Amino acid sequence: MDTQEIVERFAEESHPDVLQEFDRASLEELVAKHETPFMVLDLSEVDFQYRSLQAALPGVTLFYALKSLSHPELVKRLKSLGCHFDLATSGEVELVESLGIRGDQCIHTHPIKKDKEIRRALQFGCNRFVIDNMEELKKFFPYAGQAELIIRVSFRSKQAVVDLSRKFGCSLEELPQLVETAQQNGLTVIGLSFHVGSQSLTPMTQANAVRSSIAAMKVMNNVNWKILDIGGSFPVSYQEQVLPIADFCAPVMEALSEVPDGVEVYAEPGRFISGPSMIELVSVVGKAKRGARTWYYLDDGVYGGFSGQIFDHAIYPLAPLKPFDPTGDFFPSVLAGPTCDSIDVVAENIELPDLQVGDILVGKKMGAYTIASATEFNYYPKPKVVVVEDIFDPDTVETEA
Ligand SMILES: Cc1ncc(COP(=O)(O)O)c(C=O)c1O
């Protein structure tokens, strides 16, 4: 079935099967080999997402934001594709170092750091750091001549699901003072950065932020600007469809056409690359009729792989693995996680075909900010990650981690 047919069927059905693009037999094979709950990291999807974004942002250097999903196999695959890396902690430095990535292929983007973290990144060979305030700038005085600074500016966005400019970034008005103080203390400012928020539903905030940043660069002509870093934010279709990535990036690219000569453009995508690369398979372990609804208890929930539903405000598309008739009988249901906490509910108002204990459910687009924020509350282990070269290919190479 091609994409157009799937879209048309979706439009016709009140209970569309979100798994219809998958080969259920391949998923059944995985279930026969691995105990649920487990996630499947599909490396061919990593390739696809990386290449799609790179094609939509020609000339932009991509620094993958490790925080969204730091599985070593994904990092290794991105390295082989020529991707660079956005690091925020010493733990992330250690991970990329252990995988043979060089410091000069990375930037350190956490606007607030301990001195120890600055030293660790410098020791690794990563010398480009983001700052956004005077106190942070002072931490770099001892590293003049070693560290290069990128100043993060805040551009608030109501159109992003996660507004990151609330917590980080200086105002455009604060920039000249930061630049002057850096220069007086022998520090080199090389760029501006921003992050308009994760899962941005419109490219316009990013395009406007590009324009404002370029204007600021032109005004502050006493700086040898080398970098404009446009952050992450590139969205993924969960239950709602978002713009195709080429359409999302077109206005951003248009704004970037005004970038001054000699300024390289960086982006820090996380979700767009990792989100679609992973699915999760969970089992129904209990079933109870409570009032008008059937409660299905799963072997993973919001304390585990579904943690992004709390922290990242994402609602993942879900469907039973066993084939069902989208025009058949559906019943009001609740999907609950396994822990003893009542907040541990994955879906409250969902209509499902009748399921039995032992049935499998599949959650899609579960790569970004899922296992990265999972806990082991109640001593339930985090779901393991099975790595496949291609989920559609039965001869796929599998590893477990
Ligand atoms: C500094 C920084 N860069 C990049 C990202 C990745 O953003 P996204 O997943 O929206 O692409 C984040 C997400 O929190 C971030 O804080």
Side-chain angles (χ1 to χ4, degrees), residues 212-268:
S212 303
S213 304
I214 293 173
M217 284 178 163
K218 287 183 178 160
V219 171
M220 285 182 284
N221 56 11
N222 57 338
V223 178
N224 181 12
W225 297 109
K226 291 187 186 159
I227 288 163
L228 173 60
D229 180 344
I230 64 172
S233 82
F234 309 98
V236 159
S237 294
Y238 290 108
Q239 297 210 338
E240 308 289 323
Q241 291 296 311
V242 297
L243 281 179
I245 196 64
D247 296 345
F248 184 92
C249 291
V252 180
M253 283 308 294
E254 198 187 316
L256 285 172
S257 65
E258 301 295 322
V259 164
D261 286 346
V263 174
E264 256 188 277
V265 183
Y266 290 179
E268 304 164 9

Short mmCIF file of all heavy atoms in Angstrom, two decimals, residues 212-268:
data_model
loop_
_atom_site.label_atom_id
_atom_site.label_comp_id
_atom_site.label_asym_id
_atom_site.label_seq_id
_atom_site.Cartn_x
_atom_site.Cartn_y
_atom_site.Cartn_z
N SER A 212 16.25 37.71 12.93
CA SER A 212 16.66 38.59 14.04
C SER A 212 18.13 38.35 14.38
O SER A 212 18.86 39.29 14.70
CB SER A 212 15.82 38.32 15.29
OG SER A 212 14.48 38.49 15.01
N SER A 213 18.57 37.10 14.34
CA SER A 213 19.96 36.79 14.68
C SER A 213 20.90 37.39 13.63
O SER A 213 21.95 37.95 13.97
CB SER A 213 20.19 35.28 14.74
OG SER A 213 19.31 34.70 15.66
N ILE A 214 20.51 37.27 12.37
CA ILE A 214 21.36 37.85 11.31
C ILE A 214 21.44 39.37 11.48
O ILE A 214 22.52 39.96 11.36
CB ILE A 214 20.82 37.45 9.91
CG1 ILE A 214 20.98 35.94 9.71
CG2 ILE A 214 21.53 38.23 8.81
CD1 ILE A 214 20.34 35.40 8.44
N ALA A 215 20.30 39.98 11.79
CA ALA A 215 20.29 41.44 11.98
C ALA A 215 21.23 41.80 13.14
O ALA A 215 22.01 42.76 13.04
CB ALA A 215 18.87 41.92 12.24
N ALA A 216 21.18 41.03 14.23
CA ALA A 216 22.04 41.31 15.39
C ALA A 216 23.51 41.16 15.01
O ALA A 216 24.36 41.96 15.40
CB ALA A 216 21.68 40.38 16.54
N MET A 217 23.82 40.14 14.21
CA MET A 217 25.21 39.94 13.77
C MET A 217 25.69 41.15 12.97
O MET A 217 26.82 41.61 13.12
CB MET A 217 25.32 38.69 12.89
CG MET A 217 25.27 37.39 13.68
SD MET A 217 25.35 35.98 12.54
CE MET A 217 25.80 34.68 13.67
N LYS A 218 24.80 41.64 12.11
CA LYS A 218 25.21 42.77 11.26
C LYS A 218 25.44 44.02 12.09
O LYS A 218 26.36 44.79 11.82
CB LYS A 218 24.16 43.02 10.17
CG LYS A 218 24.22 41.91 9.11
CD LYS A 218 23.25 42.13 7.97
CE LYS A 218 23.39 41.03 6.93
NZ LYS A 218 22.24 40.90 6.06
N VAL A 219 24.62 44.22 13.14
CA VAL A 219 24.81 45.40 14.00
C VAL A 219 26.12 45.27 14.78
O VAL A 219 26.89 46.23 14.88
CB VAL A 219 23.60 45.54 14.97
CG1 VAL A 219 23.89 46.62 16.02
CG2 VAL A 219 22.34 45.86 14.20
N MET A 220 26.39 44.09 15.31
CA MET A 220 27.63 43.90 16.11
C MET A 220 28.77 43.51 15.17
O MET A 220 29.24 42.37 15.17
CB MET A 220 27.38 42.84 17.18
CG MET A 220 26.54 43.40 18.32
SD MET A 220 26.30 42.18 19.60
CE MET A 220 25.11 41.17 18.85
N ASN A 221 29.21 44.47 14.38
CA ASN A 221 30.21 44.15 13.36
C ASN A 221 31.65 44.13 13.90
O ASN A 221 32.59 43.99 13.15
CB ASN A 221 30.07 45.07 12.14
CG ASN A 221 30.14 46.52 12.55
OD1 ASN A 221 30.49 46.81 13.69
ND2 ASN A 221 29.81 47.41 11.64
N ASN A 222 31.76 44.27 15.24
CA ASN A 222 33.10 44.14 15.85
C ASN A 222 33.42 42.68 16.19
O ASN A 222 34.42 42.37 16.82
CB ASN A 222 33.20 44.99 17.13
CG ASN A 222 32.12 44.60 18.14
OD1 ASN A 222 31.09 44.02 17.76
ND2 ASN A 222 32.33 44.90 19.40
N VAL A 223 32.52 41.77 15.81
CA VAL A 223 32.72 40.34 16.09
C VAL A 223 32.97 39.62 14.77
O VAL A 223 32.31 39.90 13.76
CB VAL A 223 31.47 39.71 16.77
CG1 VAL A 223 31.65 38.23 17.01
CG2 VAL A 223 31.14 40.44 18.07
N ASN A 224 33.92 38.67 14.80
CA ASN A 224 34.15 37.85 13.61
C ASN A 224 33.19 36.66 13.69
O ASN A 224 33.54 35.59 14.17
CB ASN A 224 35.62 37.40 13.62
CG ASN A 224 35.95 36.57 12.40
OD1 ASN A 224 35.15 36.50 11.45
ND2 ASN A 224 37.10 35.92 12.42
N TRP A 225 31.96 36.86 13.24
CA TRP A 225 30.93 35.82 13.37
C TRP A 225 31.26 34.63 12.48
O TRP A 225 31.51 34.80 11.29
CB TRP A 225 29.55 36.37 12.98
CG TRP A 225 29.07 37.47 13.87
CD1 TRP A 225 28.95 38.78 13.56
CD2 TRP A 225 28.63 37.33 15.23
NE1 TRP A 225 28.47 39.49 14.64
CE2 TRP A 225 28.27 38.63 15.68
CE3 TRP A 225 28.52 36.26 16.13
CZ2 TRP A 225 27.80 38.87 16.96
CZ3 TRP A 225 28.05 36.51 17.41
CH2 TRP A 225 27.70 37.79 17.82
N LYS A 226 31.23 33.46 13.08
CA LYS A 226 31.54 32.25 12.30
C LYS A 226 30.37 31.27 12.27
O LYS A 226 30.31 30.39 11.41
CB LYS A 226 32.74 31.51 12.92
CG LYS A 226 34.05 32.25 12.77
CD LYS A 226 35.16 31.35 13.27
CE LYS A 226 36.49 32.05 13.30
NZ LYS A 226 37.41 31.39 14.21
N ILE A 227 29.48 31.36 13.28
CA ILE A 227 28.43 30.33 13.40
C ILE A 227 27.07 30.92 13.73
O ILE A 227 26.94 31.78 14.61
CB ILE A 227 28.82 29.33 14.52
CG1 ILE A 227 29.98 28.47 14.04
CG2 ILE A 227 27.65 28.42 14.90
CD1 ILE A 227 30.68 27.77 15.14
N LEU A 228 26.06 30.42 13.04
CA LEU A 228 24.67 30.66 13.46
C LEU A 228 24.07 29.27 13.69
O LEU A 228 24.00 28.46 12.77
CB LEU A 228 23.88 31.42 12.39
CG LEU A 228 22.38 31.55 12.70
CD1 LEU A 228 22.15 32.29 14.01
CD2 LEU A 228 21.65 32.27 11.56
N ASP A 229 23.67 29.02 14.94
CA ASP A 229 23.15 27.70 15.31
C ASP A 229 21.64 27.82 15.51
O ASP A 229 21.18 28.50 16.44
CB ASP A 229 23.87 27.26 16.60
CG ASP A 229 23.40 25.91 17.09
OD1 ASP A 229 22.35 25.44 16.64
OD2 ASP A 229 24.10 25.33 17.94
N ILE A 230 20.87 27.14 14.64
CA ILE A 230 19.41 27.32 14.64
C ILE A 230 18.69 26.29 15.52
O ILE A 230 17.47 26.18 15.48
CB ILE A 230 18.84 27.32 13.20
CG1 ILE A 230 19.06 25.96 12.52
CG2 ILE A 230 19.47 28.44 12.38
CD1 ILE A 230 18.35 25.82 11.17
N GLY A 231 19.46 25.54 16.32
CA GLY A 231 18.86 24.67 17.33
C GLY A 231 18.16 23.44 16.77
O GLY A 231 18.40 23.00 15.64
N GLY A 232 17.25 22.88 17.60
CA GLY A 232 16.45 21.72 17.19
C GLY A 232 15.07 22.21 16.80
O GLY A 232 14.97 23.22 16.11
N SER A 233 14.06 21.48 17.22
CA SER A 233 12.63 21.85 17.07
C SER A 233 11.91 21.12 15.95
O SER A 233 10.68 21.12 15.92
CB SER A 233 12.44 23.35 16.84
OG SER A 233 12.64 23.69 15.48
N PHE A 234 12.61 20.50 15.02
CA PHE A 234 12.00 19.90 13.83
C PHE A 234 10.99 18.82 14.26
O PHE A 234 11.35 17.88 14.96
CB PHE A 234 13.09 19.34 12.91
CG PHE A 234 14.15 20.37 12.65
CD1 PHE A 234 15.33 20.39 13.38
CD2 PHE A 234 13.92 21.38 11.72
CE1 PHE A 234 16.28 21.37 13.18
CE2 PHE A 234 14.87 22.38 11.51
CZ PHE A 234 16.05 22.38 12.24
N PRO A 235 9.74 18.96 13.82
CA PRO A 235 8.67 18.15 14.41
C PRO A 235 8.46 16.78 13.75
O PRO A 235 8.87 16.53 12.62
CB PRO A 235 7.43 19.02 14.21
CG PRO A 235 7.73 19.75 12.93
CD PRO A 235 9.22 19.94 12.85
N VAL A 236 7.75 15.94 14.50
CA VAL A 236 7.43 14.57 14.09
C VAL A 236 5.91 14.42 14.17
O VAL A 236 5.29 14.97 15.08
CB VAL A 236 8.13 13.62 15.09
CG1 VAL A 236 7.50 12.26 15.12
CG2 VAL A 236 9.62 13.52 14.82
N SER A 237 5.31 13.67 13.24
CA SER A 237 3.86 13.42 13.33
C SER A 237 3.60 12.32 14.35
O SER A 237 4.02 11.18 14.15
CB SER A 237 3.32 12.96 11.97
OG SER A 237 3.42 13.99 11.03
N TYR A 238 2.97 12.67 15.44
CA TYR A 238 2.54 11.64 16.40
C TYR A 238 1.09 11.31 16.04
O TYR A 238 0.84 10.72 15.01
CB TYR A 238 2.69 12.16 17.84
CG TYR A 238 4.14 12.30 18.26
CD1 TYR A 238 4.73 13.54 18.40
CD2 TYR A 238 4.92 11.19 18.52
CE1 TYR A 238 6.06 13.68 18.80
CE2 TYR A 238 6.26 11.31 18.91
CZ TYR A 238 6.81 12.56 19.05
OH TYR A 238 8.12 12.68 19.43
N GLN A 239 0.13 11.74 16.87
CA GLN A 239 -1.25 11.48 16.48
C GLN A 239 -1.73 12.54 15.49
O GLN A 239 -2.59 12.29 14.66
CB GLN A 239 -2.12 11.43 17.72
CG GLN A 239 -1.70 10.27 18.60
CD GLN A 239 -2.81 9.69 19.41
OE1 GLN A 239 -3.81 10.33 19.66
NE2 GLN A 239 -2.65 8.46 19.84
N GLU A 240 -1.14 13.74 15.60
CA GLU A 240 -1.47 14.82 14.67
C GLU A 240 -0.40 14.85 13.58
O GLU A 240 0.77 14.66 13.87
CB GLU A 240 -1.44 16.17 15.39
CG GLU A 240 -2.26 16.25 16.65
CD GLU A 240 -3.75 16.25 16.36
OE1 GLU A 240 -4.12 16.87 15.34
OE2 GLU A 240 -4.51 15.64 17.11
N GLN A 241 -0.83 15.14 12.35
CA GLN A 241 0.14 15.26 11.26
C GLN A 241 0.82 16.62 11.32
O GLN A 241 0.15 17.64 11.54
CB GLN A 241 -0.57 15.15 9.90
CG GLN A 241 -1.12 13.76 9.61
CD GLN A 241 -0.02 12.71 9.50
OE1 GLN A 241 0.96 12.92 8.79
NE2 GLN A 241 -0.17 11.59 10.19
N VAL A 242 2.13 16.65 11.14
CA VAL A 242 2.85 17.92 11.05
C VAL A 242 3.31 18.11 9.61
O VAL A 242 3.18 17.19 8.79
CB VAL A 242 4.06 17.97 12.02
CG1 VAL A 242 3.60 17.87 13.46
CG2 VAL A 242 5.09 16.90 11.69
N LEU A 243 3.86 19.28 9.31
CA LEU A 243 4.32 19.55 7.94
C LEU A 243 5.42 18.57 7.53
O LEU A 243 6.28 18.25 8.35
CB LEU A 243 4.95 20.94 7.87
CG LEU A 243 4.04 22.16 7.80
CD1 LEU A 243 4.91 23.42 7.77
CD2 LEU A 243 3.19 22.09 6.54
N PRO A 244 5.42 18.12 6.27
CA PRO A 244 6.57 17.33 5.80
C PRO A 244 7.84 18.16 6.00
O PRO A 244 7.80 19.40 5.91
CB PRO A 244 6.28 17.13 4.31
CG PRO A 244 4.83 17.38 4.14
CD PRO A 244 4.41 18.34 5.23
N ILE A 245 8.96 17.48 6.27
CA ILE A 245 10.16 18.21 6.70
C ILE A 245 10.65 19.21 5.64
O ILE A 245 11.12 20.31 5.99
CB ILE A 245 11.27 17.24 7.17
CG1 ILE A 245 12.33 18.01 7.97
CG2 ILE A 245 11.88 16.46 6.03
CD1 ILE A 245 11.85 18.62 9.24
N ALA A 246 10.51 18.87 4.36
CA ALA A 246 10.97 19.82 3.33
C ALA A 246 10.15 21.11 3.40
O ALA A 246 10.69 22.21 3.26
CB ALA A 246 10.87 19.18 1.95
N ASP A 247 8.83 20.97 3.63
CA ASP A 247 7.97 22.16 3.71
C ASP A 247 8.27 22.95 4.98
O ASP A 247 8.26 24.17 4.99
CB ASP A 247 6.49 21.77 3.71
CG ASP A 247 6.09 21.09 2.41
OD1 ASP A 247 6.87 21.21 1.45
OD2 ASP A 247 5.04 20.44 2.37
N PHE A 248 8.54 22.21 6.07
CA PHE A 248 8.86 22.89 7.33
C PHE A 248 10.13 23.72 7.18
O PHE A 248 10.21 24.86 7.65
CB PHE A 248 9.02 21.85 8.45
CG PHE A 248 9.25 22.47 9.81
CD1 PHE A 248 8.18 22.75 10.65
CD2 PHE A 248 10.52 22.79 10.24
CE1 PHE A 248 8.38 23.34 11.88
CE2 PHE A 248 10.74 23.37 11.47
CZ PHE A 248 9.67 23.65 12.30
N CYS A 249 11.12 23.14 6.51
CA CYS A 249 12.43 23.80 6.44
C CYS A 249 12.50 24.90 5.37
O CYS A 249 13.40 25.74 5.43
CB CYS A 249 13.54 22.77 6.20
SG CYS A 249 13.79 21.70 7.62
N ALA A 250 11.57 24.90 4.41
CA ALA A 250 11.67 25.86 3.30
C ALA A 250 11.74 27.32 3.79
O ALA A 250 12.65 28.06 3.37
CB ALA A 250 10.53 25.65 2.31
N PRO A 251 10.84 27.77 4.67
CA PRO A 251 10.94 29.17 5.12
C PRO A 251 12.20 29.44 5.94
O PRO A 251 12.73 30.55 5.93
CB PRO A 251 9.71 29.38 6.00
CG PRO A 251 8.87 28.17 5.87
CD PRO A 251 9.67 27.09 5.24
N VAL A 252 12.70 28.42 6.61
CA VAL A 252 13.93 28.58 7.40
C VAL A 252 15.10 28.77 6.44
O VAL A 252 15.94 29.66 6.61
CB VAL A 252 14.15 27.34 8.32
CG1 VAL A 252 15.43 27.51 9.14
CG2 VAL A 252 12.95 27.10 9.22
N MET A 253 15.13 27.94 5.38
CA MET A 253 16.20 28.07 4.38
C MET A 253 16.13 29.44 3.69
O MET A 253 17.16 30.04 3.41
CB MET A 253 16.07 26.97 3.31
CG MET A 253 16.55 25.61 3.75
SD MET A 253 18.22 25.60 4.43
CE MET A 253 19.23 26.04 3.03
N GLU A 254 14.91 29.90 3.46
CA GLU A 254 14.78 31.21 2.81
C GLU A 254 15.40 32.30 3.70
O GLU A 254 16.15 33.14 3.23
CB GLU A 254 13.30 31.49 2.58
CG GLU A 254 13.05 32.56 1.56
CD GLU A 254 11.58 32.90 1.51
OE1 GLU A 254 10.74 31.97 1.51
OE2 GLU A 254 11.28 34.11 1.49
N ALA A 255 15.10 32.22 4.99
CA ALA A 255 15.67 33.21 5.93
C ALA A 255 17.19 33.07 5.98
O ALA A 255 17.91 34.06 6.09
CB ALA A 255 15.05 33.02 7.32
N LEU A 256 17.66 31.83 5.85
CA LEU A 256 19.11 31.60 5.94
C LEU A 256 19.87 32.13 4.71
O LEU A 256 21.09 32.25 4.75
CB LEU A 256 19.40 30.10 6.11
CG LEU A 256 19.12 29.52 7.51
CD1 LEU A 256 19.26 28.00 7.49
CD2 LEU A 256 20.07 30.12 8.56
N SER A 257 19.13 32.42 3.64
CA SER A 257 19.82 32.91 2.43
C SER A 257 20.50 34.25 2.70
O SER A 257 21.38 34.66 1.96
CB SER A 257 18.84 33.00 1.26
OG SER A 257 17.88 33.99 1.57
N GLU A 258 20.11 34.92 3.78
CA GLU A 258 20.71 36.23 4.11
C GLU A 258 21.90 36.11 5.07
O GLU A 258 22.43 37.13 5.54
CB GLU A 258 19.65 37.12 4.78
CG GLU A 258 18.40 37.39 3.96
CD GLU A 258 18.71 38.19 2.70
OE1 GLU A 258 19.56 39.08 2.76
OE2 GLU A 258 18.11 37.86 1.65
N VAL A 259 22.28 34.89 5.41
CA VAL A 259 23.40 34.73 6.36
C VAL A 259 24.66 35.37 5.79
O VAL A 259 24.99 35.16 4.62
CB VAL A 259 23.65 33.21 6.63
CG1 VAL A 259 25.01 32.98 7.27
CG2 VAL A 259 22.58 32.65 7.53
N PRO A 260 25.36 36.18 6.61
CA PRO A 260 26.56 36.85 6.08
C PRO A 260 27.61 35.84 5.60
O PRO A 260 27.69 34.72 6.13
CB PRO A 260 27.09 37.63 7.29
CG PRO A 260 25.97 37.70 8.27
CD PRO A 260 25.08 36.52 8.01
N ASP A 261 28.43 36.27 4.66
CA ASP A 261 29.50 35.40 4.15
C ASP A 261 30.39 34.97 5.30
O ASP A 261 30.67 35.76 6.20
CB ASP A 261 30.36 36.17 3.14
CG ASP A 261 29.62 36.35 1.83
OD1 ASP A 261 28.60 35.65 1.64
OD2 ASP A 261 30.05 37.20 1.02
N GLY A 262 30.85 33.75 5.24
CA GLY A 262 31.79 33.26 6.25
C GLY A 262 31.11 32.69 7.48
O GLY A 262 31.78 32.16 8.37
N VAL A 263 29.77 32.81 7.57
CA VAL A 263 29.07 32.25 8.74
C VAL A 263 28.52 30.88 8.37
O VAL A 263 27.76 30.73 7.42
CB VAL A 263 27.91 33.19 9.20
CG1 VAL A 263 27.10 32.53 10.31
CG2 VAL A 263 28.47 34.53 9.65
N GLU A 264 28.95 29.88 9.14
CA GLU A 264 28.46 28.50 8.93
C GLU A 264 27.16 28.33 9.71
O GLU A 264 27.04 28.89 10.81
CB GLU A 264 29.45 27.53 9.57
CG GLU A 264 30.35 26.78 8.62
CD GLU A 264 31.12 25.74 9.43
OE1 GLU A 264 32.15 26.12 10.02
OE2 GLU A 264 30.66 24.60 9.49
N VAL A 265 26.25 27.53 9.19
CA VAL A 265 24.99 27.31 9.91
C VAL A 265 24.98 25.91 10.51
O VAL A 265 25.30 24.93 9.82
CB VAL A 265 23.77 27.52 8.98
CG1 VAL A 265 22.47 27.35 9.77
CG2 VAL A 265 23.81 28.90 8.33
N TYR A 266 24.65 25.86 11.80
CA TYR A 266 24.52 24.58 12.51
C TYR A 266 23.05 24.37 12.88
O TYR A 266 22.32 25.34 13.10
CB TYR A 266 25.29 24.61 13.84
CG TYR A 266 26.80 24.62 13.77
CD1 TYR A 266 27.53 24.66 14.96
CD2 TYR A 266 27.50 24.58 12.58
CE1 TYR A 266 28.91 24.67 14.96
CE2 TYR A 266 28.89 24.58 12.57
CZ TYR A 266 29.59 24.63 13.76
OH TYR A 266 30.97 24.64 13.76
N ALA A 267 22.64 23.10 13.02
CA ALA A 267 21.34 22.79 13.64
C ALA A 267 21.57 21.66 14.63
O ALA A 267 22.55 20.91 14.51
CB ALA A 267 20.33 22.39 12.58
N GLU A 268 20.68 21.56 15.63
CA GLU A 268 20.84 20.56 16.70
C GLU A 268 19.61 19.66 16.79
O GLU A 268 18.89 19.66 17.79
CB GLU A 268 21.01 21.27 18.05
CG GLU A 268 22.14 22.25 18.14
CD GLU A 268 21.98 23.18 19.36
OE1 GLU A 268 21.11 22.96 20.21
OE2 GLU A 268 22.75 24.15 19.43
#
